[in-house]
Amino acid sequence: MSTDLSEDMTPELAELLTGNCYCLAVRRASRRMVRLYDAALAERGLTISQLAMLAWVKGLRTPTVQKIADYMEMDQSAASRGIKPLERDGLITSAPHPRDKRKSVLALTDEGEAWLAEGAQAWATAQRQVEAEMTPMGGLATFIGEVNALAARNRIE
Amino acid sequence: MSTDLSEDMTPELAELLTGNCYCLAVRRASRRMVRLYDAALAERGLTISQLAMLAWVKGLRTPTVQKIADYMEMDQSAASRGIKPLERDGLITSAPHPRDKRKSVLALTDEGEAWLAEGAQAWATAQRQVEAEMTPMGGLATFIGEVNALAARNRIE
DNA sequence: TCCAAATAGATGCATATGCATCGGATCACA
DNA sequence: TGTGATCCGATGCATATGCATCTATTTGGA
C-alpha cells in the first residue's frame, strides 16, 4: 500500500527501496529460488545446497573441502560447515589424503549415493518447472554472465 | 581444471554441476553481489541488509517488523532478528503501538539517521559501479521479472 | 457479548555464509 | 637442506534465513 510510504525520501533512498538495488533484487530472487527448490527437496530430507555438495563429492575425482568451495564459488569455511551435517548423517565420509596430510578426501557412502539419486529426481522436477516458466536464454543467462564478468573485473572472491 | 571432474555422471547431475541449475546460479550471483555491496559498506559499519532495514524504517510511515518483512519479501522472523543488532547498537528504537499492543513501532534514532545517510552514500558508490558495468535493462531486469512472475504463479512466499 | 479465527512479534532449531585466525603440512627457492 | 611463503581444514564470531510454534492481542461474526 502506497499509504505506508513516507514522502520525504532522498532520491537515493527511494531508489534503494523501490527494488532498484541490484544487490537486494538478486538477494530477493535468490531467497525465492531457494525456497522453491528446498520445498521440492524437503521430502527427500535435503536442501539444494546439500544436494549440490553431494553432487560435487560424486562429481570430483578427489573431492576435498577446498575444491568443493572453489567450484561452488563460496568460502572454504562455509563449505566446511555445510558438509558437516552430511557427514554427521552418514552420507559422506572423509579420510586423510594419502600423500598430503593437510587434505581430507571426501566420499559418498552407499546411503549418500542413494540420497543423491533421489534428490536429483526431486531437483529435476523443480528445475524443469522453472525452466518451463522462464524465457529460454532470457534474463538469467545474460544476468549471470554480467555478474560474473563484473565480479572478475573487481576481483570479488 | 577439467581433470578434477569424474566421467560417470548422470545427465542430471552433470546439468546440476555445470552451472545450469537456476537456483544455484542465482545463489552464487547473490553471494557475489552481497560481497560487493558489503565491502563498499564495511567502512560505515553496515551490511546491505542492515542498510535496507534502516531505509525501510525511515521510508515507512508506521514501520513494524511485519511490514518491513513484507516489503523486503522475507520471513517475519528473519526481519525480527535482523533488526535486533540495529536496536542493540542504538540505531533503532521500538515503542508499542498506541492502539494495537501486538505491534511495535520502530523509529530511527539520530544516530540511525546519520548512519543511514552515510551508508546511502557508500551504497550509491557500489550501485553506480554495478550499474555502469551491467548492460542497461540487460539480464537483471528481465530475470527478476521472470522470477517474480514464477514465484507468484507458484505461490512462493 | 463471547468465542473462534486471524495477526504481531519472539524464540527454538537448523542451515547458510563470510572474515579472521590458528595450527599443521607442504612447497619453493636460496 | 632450511626456512619463509603457501596451502588446507577447522573454529570463533557475527549476521542471514526459514519453519514451526508460542503467547498476547485484536477482530469478526454469531
Side-chain angles (χ1 to χ4, degrees):
Chain A
M1 304 103 198
S2 41
T3 55
D4 282 347
L5 297 175
S6 169
E7 300 300 322
D8 62 322
M9 299 286 290
T10 68
E12 253 138 31
L13 289 182
E15 183 186 358
L16 198 161
L17 294 184
T18 49
N20 293 305
C21 172
Y22 295 95
C23 182
L24 294 173
V26 177
R27 179 110 117 185
R28 273 198 306 277
S30 171
R31 281 197 298 259
R32 285 190 147 162
M33 210 63 116
V34 168
R35 282 201 291 276
L36 182 73
Y37 280 71
D38 275 0
L41 284 165
E43 46 186 312
R44 317 294 174 123
L46 289 173
T47 65
I48 179 63
S49 290
Q50 296 175 334
L51 180 70
M53 290 197 239
L54 290 180
W56 277 114
V57 171
K58 185 179 179 68
L60 294 173
R61 289 185 189 285
T62 310
T64 64
V65 168
Q66 183 62 60
K67 214 176 277 182
I68 290 174
D70 287 344
Y71 276 99
M72 293 184 71
E73 293 177 26
M74 56 162 48
D75 194 85
Q76 163 264 249
S77 66
S80 174
R81 281 179 228 268
I83 286 169
K84 220 170 261 179
L86 300 172
E87 235 180 303
R88 179 200 61 200
D89 295 342
L91 306 181
I92 287 181
T93 57
S94 78
H97 187 287
R99 285 203 298 286
D100 188 340
K101 288 170 195 159
R102 290 172 304 180
K103 301 178 183 174
S104 292
V105 180
L106 305 173
L108 293 184
T109 62
D110 289 345
E111 207 183 343
E113 291 267 7
W115 282 53
L116 173 57
E118 296 270 314
Q121 294 304 308
W123 170 81
T125 304
Q127 176 79 351
R128 296 299 159 242
Q129 179 189 356
V130 172
E131 194 167 64
E133 303 195 26
M134 303 268 281
T135 307
M137 283 298 97
L140 181 62
T142 308
F143 167 64
I144 298 297
E146 289 174 336
V147 171
N148 289 343
L150 191 158
R153 279 197 296 278
N154 293 282
R155 272 178 268 291
I156 295 299
E157 167 209 53
Chain B
M1 303 103 198
S2 42
T3 57
D4 282 346
L5 298 175
S6 170
E7 299 300 322
D8 62 322
M9 299 287 290
T10 67
E12 253 139 29
L13 289 182
E15 183 186 359
L16 197 161
L17 294 183
T18 50
N20 293 305
C21 172
Y22 295 95
C23 182
L24 294 174
V26 177
R27 179 110 119 183
R28 273 197 306 278
S30 171
R31 281 198 297 260
R32 285 190 148 162
M33 210 62 115
V34 168
R35 283 202 290 277
L36 182 73
Y37 280 71
D38 275 0
L41 285 165
E43 46 185 312
R44 317 294 174 123
L46 290 173
T47 65
I48 179 63
S49 289
Q50 295 174 335
L51 180 70
M53 290 198 240
L54 290 180
W56 278 113
V57 170
K58 186 179 178 67
L60 293 172
R61 288 186 188 285
T62 309
T64 64
V65 169
Q66 184 62 58
K67 215 176 276 181
I68 290 174
D70 287 343
Y71 277 99
M72 293 184 71
E73 292 176 28
M74 56 162 47
D75 193 85
Q76 164 262 298
S77 66
S80 175
R81 282 179 229 269
I83 286 168
K84 221 170 260 179
L86 299 172
E87 235 180 304
R88 179 200 60 200
D89 295 342
L91 305 181
I92 287 181
T93 58
S94 78
H97 188 287
R99 284 202 299 286
D100 188 340
K101 288 170 194 159
R102 291 172 303 179
K103 300 179 183 174
S104 292
V105 180
L106 306 174
L108 293 183
T109 62
D110 289 345
E111 206 182 343
E113 291 267 8
W115 282 53
L116 173 57
E118 296 270 314
Q121 292 305 307
W123 170 81
T125 304
Q127 176 80 351
R128 295 299 158 242
Q129 178 188 355
V130 172
E131 195 167 62
E133 303 195 27
M134 303 270 280
T135 307
M137 284 297 99
L140 181 63
T142 308
F143 168 64
I144 298 298
E146 288 174 335
V147 172
N148 289 341
L150 192 159
R153 278 197 297 278
N154 294 282
R155 271 179 269 290
I156 296 297
E157 170 205 52

mmCIF file of all heavy atoms in Angstrom, chain A residues 60-95:
data_model
loop_
_atom_site.group_PDB
_atom_site.id
_atom_site.type_symbol
_atom_site.label_atom_id
_atom_site.label_comp_id
_atom_site.label_asym_id
_atom_site.label_seq_id
_atom_site.Cartn_x
_atom_site.Cartn_y
_atom_site.Cartn_z
ATOM 1 N N LEU A 60 33.613 -34.997 -8.421
ATOM 2 C CA LEU A 60 35.054 -34.725 -8.429
ATOM 3 C C LEU A 60 35.833 -36.016 -8.204
ATOM 4 O O LEU A 60 35.440 -36.863 -7.412
ATOM 5 C CB LEU A 60 35.398 -33.707 -7.335
ATOM 6 C CG LEU A 60 34.834 -32.300 -7.522
ATOM 7 C CD1 LEU A 60 35.093 -31.440 -6.284
ATOM 8 C CD2 LEU A 60 35.445 -31.640 -8.760
ATOM 9 N N ARG A 61 36.938 -36.124 -8.912
ATOM 10 C CA ARG A 61 37.770 -37.321 -8.761
ATOM 11 C C ARG A 61 38.281 -37.426 -7.334
ATOM 12 O O ARG A 61 38.260 -38.480 -6.717
ATOM 13 C CB ARG A 61 38.960 -37.252 -9.704
ATOM 14 C CG ARG A 61 38.623 -37.432 -11.158
ATOM 15 C CD ARG A 61 39.910 -37.474 -11.976
ATOM 16 N NE ARG A 61 39.614 -37.445 -13.419
ATOM 17 C CZ ARG A 61 39.143 -38.499 -14.070
ATOM 18 N NH1 ARG A 61 38.917 -39.628 -13.437
ATOM 19 N NH2 ARG A 61 38.890 -38.416 -15.371
ATOM 20 N N THR A 62 38.813 -36.322 -6.826
ATOM 21 C CA THR A 62 39.373 -36.309 -5.475
ATOM 22 C C THR A 62 38.780 -35.135 -4.720
ATOM 23 O O THR A 62 39.395 -34.073 -4.636
ATOM 24 C CB THR A 62 40.910 -36.171 -5.529
ATOM 25 O OG1 THR A 62 41.440 -37.129 -6.420
ATOM 26 C CG2 THR A 62 41.501 -36.363 -4.142
ATOM 27 N N PRO A 63 37.571 -35.309 -4.223
ATOM 28 C CA PRO A 63 36.873 -34.184 -3.605
ATOM 29 C C PRO A 63 37.458 -33.809 -2.249
ATOM 30 O O PRO A 63 37.637 -34.655 -1.376
ATOM 31 C CB PRO A 63 35.444 -34.697 -3.444
ATOM 32 C CG PRO A 63 35.521 -36.177 -3.542
ATOM 33 C CD PRO A 63 36.790 -36.546 -4.226
ATOM 34 N N THR A 64 37.765 -32.540 -2.110
ATOM 35 C CA THR A 64 38.197 -32.011 -0.822
ATOM 36 C C THR A 64 37.334 -30.791 -0.518
ATOM 37 O O THR A 64 36.651 -30.270 -1.405
ATOM 38 C CB THR A 64 39.669 -31.566 -0.851
ATOM 39 O OG1 THR A 64 39.811 -30.488 -1.774
ATOM 40 C CG2 THR A 64 40.583 -32.718 -1.254
ATOM 41 N N VAL A 65 37.378 -30.333 0.697
ATOM 42 C CA VAL A 65 36.591 -29.173 1.094
ATOM 43 C C VAL A 65 36.934 -27.973 0.227
ATOM 44 O O VAL A 65 36.063 -27.284 -0.299
ATOM 45 C CB VAL A 65 36.837 -28.836 2.582
ATOM 46 C CG1 VAL A 65 36.251 -27.476 2.920
ATOM 47 C CG2 VAL A 65 36.234 -29.907 3.471
ATOM 48 N N GLN A 66 38.217 -27.743 0.064
ATOM 49 C CA GLN A 66 38.662 -26.576 -0.690
ATOM 50 C C GLN A 66 38.191 -26.620 -2.141
ATOM 51 O O GLN A 66 37.743 -25.622 -2.694
ATOM 52 C CB GLN A 66 40.191 -26.489 -0.645
ATOM 53 C CG GLN A 66 40.764 -25.260 -1.336
ATOM 54 C CD GLN A 66 40.291 -23.982 -0.677
ATOM 55 O OE1 GLN A 66 40.532 -23.762 0.495
ATOM 56 N NE2 GLN A 66 39.594 -23.132 -1.424
ATOM 57 N N LYS A 67 38.279 -27.801 -2.736
ATOM 58 C CA LYS A 67 37.910 -27.922 -4.136
ATOM 59 C C LYS A 67 36.416 -27.679 -4.307
ATOM 60 O O LYS A 67 35.990 -26.995 -5.244
ATOM 61 C CB LYS A 67 38.304 -29.309 -4.646
ATOM 62 C CG LYS A 67 38.743 -29.294 -6.095
ATOM 63 C CD LYS A 67 39.226 -30.668 -6.539
ATOM 64 C CE LYS A 67 40.676 -30.922 -6.158
ATOM 65 N NZ LYS A 67 41.162 -32.250 -6.626
ATOM 66 N N ILE A 68 35.628 -28.218 -3.389
ATOM 67 C CA ILE A 68 34.186 -28.006 -3.448
ATOM 68 C C ILE A 68 33.866 -26.523 -3.277
ATOM 69 O O ILE A 68 33.042 -25.965 -3.998
ATOM 70 C CB ILE A 68 33.477 -28.856 -2.374
ATOM 71 C CG1 ILE A 68 33.569 -30.331 -2.778
ATOM 72 C CG2 ILE A 68 32.033 -28.422 -2.195
ATOM 73 C CD1 ILE A 68 33.039 -31.290 -1.740
ATOM 74 N N ALA A 69 34.547 -25.890 -2.353
ATOM 75 C CA ALA A 69 34.333 -24.450 -2.151
ATOM 76 C C ALA A 69 34.677 -23.686 -3.425
ATOM 77 O O ALA A 69 33.953 -22.783 -3.830
ATOM 78 C CB ALA A 69 35.171 -23.955 -0.982
ATOM 79 N N ASP A 70 35.780 -24.056 -4.066
ATOM 80 C CA ASP A 70 36.182 -23.378 -5.293
ATOM 81 C C ASP A 70 35.126 -23.529 -6.377
ATOM 82 O O ASP A 70 34.719 -22.555 -7.000
ATOM 83 C CB ASP A 70 37.508 -23.945 -5.804
ATOM 84 C CG ASP A 70 38.680 -23.493 -4.945
ATOM 85 O OD1 ASP A 70 38.507 -22.530 -4.173
ATOM 86 O OD2 ASP A 70 39.761 -24.105 -5.043
ATOM 87 N N TYR A 71 34.691 -24.752 -6.575
ATOM 88 C CA TYR A 71 33.717 -24.983 -7.640
ATOM 89 C C TYR A 71 32.377 -24.328 -7.329
ATOM 90 O O TYR A 71 31.667 -23.886 -8.226
ATOM 91 C CB TYR A 71 33.548 -26.479 -7.893
ATOM 92 C CG TYR A 71 34.612 -27.027 -8.819
ATOM 93 C CD1 TYR A 71 35.728 -27.690 -8.322
ATOM 94 C CD2 TYR A 71 34.511 -26.863 -10.203
ATOM 95 C CE1 TYR A 71 36.714 -28.184 -9.179
ATOM 96 C CE2 TYR A 71 35.481 -27.344 -11.062
ATOM 97 C CZ TYR A 71 36.586 -28.011 -10.543
ATOM 98 O OH TYR A 71 37.551 -28.478 -11.392
ATOM 99 N N MET A 72 32.023 -24.279 -6.063
ATOM 100 C CA MET A 72 30.750 -23.654 -5.715
ATOM 101 C C MET A 72 30.902 -22.147 -5.507
ATOM 102 O O MET A 72 29.926 -21.453 -5.234
ATOM 103 C CB MET A 72 30.166 -24.308 -4.454
ATOM 104 C CG MET A 72 29.749 -25.756 -4.683
ATOM 105 S SD MET A 72 28.940 -26.506 -3.235
ATOM 106 C CE MET A 72 27.366 -25.645 -3.214
ATOM 107 N N GLU A 73 32.121 -21.672 -5.662
ATOM 108 C CA GLU A 73 32.397 -20.246 -5.523
ATOM 109 C C GLU A 73 31.925 -19.720 -4.181
ATOM 110 O O GLU A 73 31.238 -18.703 -4.103
ATOM 111 C CB GLU A 73 31.748 -19.461 -6.666
ATOM 112 C CG GLU A 73 32.384 -19.780 -8.012
ATOM 113 C CD GLU A 73 31.681 -19.056 -9.152
ATOM 114 O OE1 GLU A 73 31.097 -18.005 -8.901
ATOM 115 O OE2 GLU A 73 31.740 -19.568 -10.297
ATOM 116 N N MET A 74 32.285 -20.429 -3.147
ATOM 117 C CA MET A 74 31.939 -19.957 -1.818
ATOM 118 C C MET A 74 33.160 -20.069 -0.907
ATOM 119 O O MET A 74 34.184 -20.647 -1.280
ATOM 120 C CB MET A 74 30.786 -20.767 -1.229
ATOM 121 C CG MET A 74 31.018 -22.262 -1.159
ATOM 122 S SD MET A 74 29.874 -23.067 -0.010
ATOM 123 C CE MET A 74 28.333 -22.366 -0.498
ATOM 124 N N ASP A 75 33.029 -19.504 0.270
ATOM 125 C CA ASP A 75 34.125 -19.529 1.204
ATOM 126 C C ASP A 75 34.408 -20.958 1.663
ATOM 127 O O ASP A 75 33.496 -21.759 1.848
ATOM 128 C CB ASP A 75 33.795 -18.657 2.407
ATOM 129 C CG ASP A 75 35.007 -18.372 3.261
ATOM 130 O OD1 ASP A 75 35.741 -17.425 2.937
ATOM 131 O OD2 ASP A 75 35.237 -19.116 4.228
ATOM 132 N N GLN A 76 35.673 -21.221 1.867
ATOM 133 C CA GLN A 76 36.064 -22.551 2.312
ATOM 134 C C GLN A 76 35.389 -22.909 3.620
ATOM 135 O O GLN A 76 34.969 -24.054 3.827
ATOM 136 C CB GLN A 76 37.594 -22.610 2.434
ATOM 137 C CG GLN A 76 38.151 -23.757 3.238
ATOM 138 C CD GLN A 76 38.437 -23.367 4.684
ATOM 139 O OE1 GLN A 76 39.478 -23.276 5.146
ATOM 140 N NE2 GLN A 76 37.489 -23.132 5.447
ATOM 141 N N SER A 77 35.288 -21.947 4.514
ATOM 142 C CA SER A 77 34.708 -22.246 5.827
ATOM 143 C C SER A 77 33.223 -22.569 5.712
ATOM 144 O O SER A 77 32.703 -23.403 6.458
ATOM 145 C CB SER A 77 34.925 -21.084 6.779
ATOM 146 O OG SER A 77 34.219 -19.940 6.371
ATOM 147 N N ALA A 78 32.557 -21.930 4.776
ATOM 148 C CA ALA A 78 31.138 -22.208 4.572
ATOM 149 C C ALA A 78 30.957 -23.622 4.034
ATOM 150 O O ALA A 78 30.056 -24.350 4.467
ATOM 151 C CB ALA A 78 30.531 -21.191 3.612
ATOM 152 N N ALA A 79 31.815 -23.997 3.115
ATOM 153 C CA ALA A 79 31.745 -25.353 2.569
ATOM 154 C C ALA A 79 32.029 -26.367 3.669
ATOM 155 O O ALA A 79 31.332 -27.376 3.804
ATOM 156 C CB ALA A 79 32.728 -25.518 1.425
ATOM 157 N N SER A 80 33.042 -26.072 4.458
ATOM 158 C CA SER A 80 33.424 -26.964 5.543
ATOM 159 C C SER A 80 32.240 -27.226 6.469
ATOM 160 O O SER A 80 31.929 -28.361 6.811
ATOM 161 C CB SER A 80 34.579 -26.350 6.320
ATOM 162 O OG SER A 80 34.892 -27.112 7.463
ATOM 163 N N ARG A 81 31.574 -26.158 6.839
ATOM 164 C CA ARG A 81 30.432 -26.306 7.742
ATOM 165 C C ARG A 81 29.247 -26.960 7.058
ATOM 166 O O ARG A 81 28.485 -27.700 7.679
ATOM 167 C CB ARG A 81 30.011 -24.937 8.269
ATOM 168 C CG ARG A 81 30.892 -24.429 9.378
ATOM 169 C CD ARG A 81 30.398 -23.047 9.792
ATOM 170 N NE ARG A 81 31.500 -22.112 9.863
ATOM 171 C CZ ARG A 81 32.187 -21.887 10.969
ATOM 172 N NH1 ARG A 81 31.896 -22.512 12.072
ATOM 173 N NH2 ARG A 81 33.191 -21.025 10.964
ATOM 174 N N GLY A 82 29.081 -26.688 5.787
ATOM 175 C CA GLY A 82 27.945 -27.261 5.081
ATOM 176 C C GLY A 82 28.045 -28.762 4.957
ATOM 177 O O GLY A 82 27.027 -29.470 4.907
ATOM 178 N N ILE A 83 29.263 -29.238 4.912
ATOM 179 C CA ILE A 83 29.481 -30.669 4.756
ATOM 180 C C ILE A 83 29.259 -31.409 6.067
ATOM 181 O O ILE A 83 28.904 -32.587 6.074
ATOM 182 C CB ILE A 83 30.902 -30.907 4.206
ATOM 183 C CG1 ILE A 83 30.930 -30.525 2.728
ATOM 184 C CG2 ILE A 83 31.343 -32.344 4.399
ATOM 185 C CD1 ILE A 83 32.303 -30.459 2.132
ATOM 186 N N LYS A 84 29.435 -30.692 7.146
ATOM 187 C CA LYS A 84 29.357 -31.335 8.454
ATOM 188 C C LYS A 84 28.061 -32.123 8.695
ATOM 189 O O LYS A 84 28.121 -33.293 9.095
ATOM 190 C CB LYS A 84 29.563 -30.278 9.545
ATOM 191 C CG LYS A 84 30.424 -30.781 10.686
ATOM 192 C CD LYS A 84 30.806 -29.650 11.620
ATOM 193 C CE LYS A 84 32.213 -29.144 11.325
ATOM 194 N NZ LYS A 84 32.616 -28.020 12.192
ATOM 195 N N PRO A 85 26.885 -31.515 8.464
ATOM 196 C CA PRO A 85 25.646 -32.276 8.686
ATOM 197 C C PRO A 85 25.571 -33.537 7.834
ATOM 198 O O PRO A 85 25.019 -34.543 8.271
ATOM 199 C CB PRO A 85 24.538 -31.291 8.288
ATOM 200 C CG PRO A 85 25.164 -29.957 8.306
ATOM 201 C CD PRO A 85 26.613 -30.124 8.070
ATOM 202 N N LEU A 86 26.131 -33.468 6.637
ATOM 203 C CA LEU A 86 26.088 -34.620 5.737
ATOM 204 C C LEU A 86 26.970 -35.746 6.259
ATOM 205 O O LEU A 86 26.648 -36.927 6.110
ATOM 206 C CB LEU A 86 26.535 -34.199 4.335
ATOM 207 C CG LEU A 86 25.673 -33.115 3.688
ATOM 208 C CD1 LEU A 86 26.293 -32.611 2.394
ATOM 209 C CD2 LEU A 86 24.276 -33.651 3.431
ATOM 210 N N GLU A 87 28.064 -35.342 6.884
ATOM 211 C CA GLU A 87 28.944 -36.341 7.482
ATOM 212 C C GLU A 87 28.262 -36.929 8.719
ATOM 213 O O GLU A 87 28.240 -38.148 8.909
ATOM 214 C CB GLU A 87 30.260 -35.653 7.892
ATOM 215 C CG GLU A 87 31.502 -36.299 7.297
ATOM 216 C CD GLU A 87 32.761 -35.571 7.740
ATOM 217 O OE1 GLU A 87 32.835 -34.345 7.493
ATOM 218 O OE2 GLU A 87 33.634 -36.223 8.331
ATOM 219 N N ARG A 88 27.717 -36.027 9.508
ATOM 220 C CA ARG A 88 27.029 -36.455 10.726
ATOM 221 C C ARG A 88 25.930 -37.460 10.417
ATOM 222 O O ARG A 88 25.739 -38.426 11.147
ATOM 223 C CB ARG A 88 26.431 -35.227 11.417
ATOM 224 C CG ARG A 88 25.664 -35.511 12.678
ATOM 225 C CD ARG A 88 24.733 -34.345 12.992
ATOM 226 N NE ARG A 88 23.764 -34.133 11.915
ATOM 227 C CZ ARG A 88 23.099 -33.000 11.711
ATOM 228 N NH1 ARG A 88 23.301 -31.958 12.492
ATOM 229 N NH2 ARG A 88 22.236 -32.902 10.715
ATOM 230 N N ASP A 89 25.224 -37.233 9.309
ATOM 231 C CA ASP A 89 24.103 -38.100 8.966
ATOM 232 C C ASP A 89 24.531 -39.314 8.146
ATOM 233 O O ASP A 89 23.686 -40.029 7.596
ATOM 234 C CB ASP A 89 23.041 -37.300 8.196
ATOM 235 C CG ASP A 89 22.417 -36.216 9.074
ATOM 236 O OD1 ASP A 89 22.550 -36.303 10.313
ATOM 237 O OD2 ASP A 89 21.804 -35.284 8.523
ATOM 238 N N GLY A 90 25.832 -39.499 8.011
ATOM 239 C CA GLY A 90 26.311 -40.714 7.371
ATOM 240 C C GLY A 90 26.179 -40.750 5.863
ATOM 241 O O GLY A 90 26.167 -41.817 5.259
ATOM 242 N N LEU A 91 26.099 -39.573 5.229
ATOM 243 C CA LEU A 91 26.004 -39.545 3.770
ATOM 244 C C LEU A 91 27.377 -39.380 3.140
ATOM 245 O O LEU A 91 27.582 -39.718 1.973
ATOM 246 C CB LEU A 91 25.083 -38.405 3.320
ATOM 247 C CG LEU A 91 23.683 -38.394 3.938
ATOM 248 C CD1 LEU A 91 22.870 -37.238 3.396
ATOM 249 C CD2 LEU A 91 22.983 -39.714 3.680
ATOM 250 N N ILE A 92 28.298 -38.840 3.917
ATOM 251 C CA ILE A 92 29.648 -38.570 3.421
ATOM 252 C C ILE A 92 30.645 -39.078 4.458
ATOM 253 O O ILE A 92 30.414 -38.966 5.653
ATOM 254 C CB ILE A 92 29.842 -37.047 3.211
ATOM 255 C CG1 ILE A 92 29.074 -36.561 1.977
ATOM 256 C CG2 ILE A 92 31.328 -36.705 3.076
ATOM 257 C CD1 ILE A 92 29.239 -35.078 1.708
ATOM 258 N N THR A 93 31.748 -39.618 3.964
ATOM 259 C CA THR A 93 32.854 -39.969 4.859
ATOM 260 C C THR A 93 34.067 -39.143 4.452
ATOM 261 O O THR A 93 34.137 -38.647 3.333
ATOM 262 C CB THR A 93 33.238 -41.453 4.750
ATOM 263 O OG1 THR A 93 33.579 -41.736 3.393
ATOM 264 C CG2 THR A 93 32.095 -42.338 5.190
ATOM 265 N N SER A 94 35.009 -38.999 5.356
ATOM 266 C CA SER A 94 36.237 -38.301 4.981
ATOM 267 C C SER A 94 37.431 -39.099 5.493
ATOM 268 O O SER A 94 37.391 -39.671 6.580
ATOM 269 C CB SER A 94 36.239 -36.888 5.554
ATOM 270 O OG SER A 94 36.565 -36.905 6.918
ATOM 271 N N ALA A 95 38.454 -39.121 4.683
ATOM 272 C CA ALA A 95 39.663 -39.858 5.049
ATOM 273 C C ALA A 95 40.866 -39.011 4.658
ATOM 274 O O ALA A 95 40.812 -38.266 3.677
ATOM 275 C CB ALA A 95 39.711 -41.192 4.312
#
